[in-house]
Amino acid sequence: MLKLMKYEFRKTMFSKMILLVITAILELLFLAGIFLNWDNGLAWGIIGLTLCAIVGIFYIGLESLMVFHRDLNTKQSYMLFLTPYDSYQILGAKVLENGLSLLLSGCFFAALAAIDFSVTVVYLGGFKELVSVVSQLLKQISVEIHFTTAESLIEVFAVLSVWLMTIVTGFLAIVLCATVLAGKRFSGFVSFLIFLLIFWGSSFLTNRIPNGLGTTMYYLVNILAALALTAVMYLISG
């Protein structure tokens, strides 16, 4: 299993390195904006890092789907299916690799955001006061912000777990297209409709979680529900 995961990491390593290089360049731009009092550099650095985090995490999942599609429909990885591993081990390695990649990427960008925020507060004294003033204004119009590190982290994990569930649902659609619907007209379109239907059903179930549980418990239940649905999709796909 570890060998399979290593193989999957190797296939997607190039794009992850590109993402890391782009992030490093944008981080340098952000730091230059702070230390050199370069407002445009600071603004573009913040915008670029935010987009890099969102698009990067999105692409990590999308690339996993594209690789799996090529594995099933081309000769790219025909040797993979000649190894002494069953379908659950092969698919499980892909799911675990993608889940681990999403987790590490999410933690990396969250930690980078925390460090950048701290640096900004230290070197731009008025920034912290600005945040306080904005919070007070929002409270006056009955919009309160309850911001804690723990809640922010659990929200990040909730988003990542839902995205992982979406990816594994995509795995199921690709499997259906390559097996049950193979050779049939509009097989790709039908499998995409099945993906949308399953995703809608999964979202419908997770949206039934009551909001009265409290913020932390609400997101915890969301994470558990998303992971449970991910396991169901994986078992069906395997």
Side-chain angles (χ1 to χ4, degrees):
M1 193 70 168
L2 290 176
K3 290 183 179 179
L4 288 174
M5 289 184 64
K6 182 180 178 181
Y7 176 68
E8 295 299 329
F9 268 117
R10 191 180 302 163
K11 286 195 291 187
T12 59
M13 184 59 67
F14 181 71
S15 60
K16 292 182 177 67
M17 293 301 297
I18 292 178
L19 176 62
L20 190 61
V21 170
I22 294 174
T23 302
I25 294 172
L26 292 171
E27 179 66 15
L28 290 175
L29 182 63
F30 170 81
L31 294 176
I34 291 180
F35 297 130
L36 301 178
N37 293 321
W38 180 26
D39 292 340
N40 288 335
L42 179 61
W44 283 111
I46 294 174
I47 294 172
L49 287 170
T50 303
L51 289 176
C52 195
I54 296 172
V55 175
I57 291 176
F58 175 80
Y59 182 76
I60 287 173
L62 187 62
E63 184 182 31
S64 180
L65 291 174
M66 293 188 295
V67 169
F68 184 52
H69 182 269
R70 290 196 297 267
D71 286 347
L72 287 183
N73 294 281
T74 69
K75 295 181 180 180
Q76 170 182 286
S77 302
Y78 72 95
M79 290 293 292
L80 176 63
F81 301 100
L82 299 179
T83 56
Y85 298 101
D86 61 31
S87 58
Y88 284 105
Q89 290 174 308
I90 294 174
L91 186 61
K94 293 179 179 293
V95 173
L96 288 175
E97 183 274 330
N98 195 256
L100 188 58
S101 295
L102 291 176
L103 179 62
L104 291 176
S105 299
C107 290
F108 170 76
F109 282 112
L112 186 63
I115 293 171
D116 287 345
F117 182 81
S118 300
V119 171
T120 304
V121 169
V122 170
Y123 283 88
L124 300 179
F127 187 81
K128 194 170 185 179
E129 286 73 13
L130 176 62
V131 173
S132 177
V133 170
V134 171
S135 299
Q136 292 297 325
L137 288 174
L138 291 174
K139 287 181 181 179
Q140 290 179 7
I141 59 174
S142 301
V143 179
E144 295 189 14
I145 297 177
H146 302 285
F147 178 85
T148 65
T149 303
E151 287 181 357
S152 299
L153 288 176
I154 202 169
E155 287 177 17
V156 170
F157 289 139
V159 172
L160 294 178
S161 62
V162 171
W163 183 223
L164 179 62
M165 179 190 72
T166 305
I167 294 164
V168 179
T169 304
F171 283 164
L172 176 57
I174 292 171
V175 169
L176 289 174
C177 184
T179 55
V180 178
L181 300 174
K184 294 181 172 59
R185 292 185 63 186
F186 308 112
S187 60
F189 180 71
V190 173
S191 62
F192 180 68
L193 288 180
I194 293 173
F195 164 78
L196 292 179
L197 183 62
I198 295 174
F199 181 74
W200 176 84
S202 302
S203 300
F204 178 81
L205 290 175
T206 54
N207 288 334
R208 297 304 96 188
I209 300 172
N211 293 322
L213 297 174
T215 303
T216 302
M217 184 57 65
Y218 174 78
Y219 282 112
L220 277 175
V221 174
N222 262 280
I223 292 171
L224 292 175
L227 293 178
L229 290 170
T230 298
V232 171
M233 303 303 169
Y234 161 71
L235 291 173
I236 297 173
S237 300

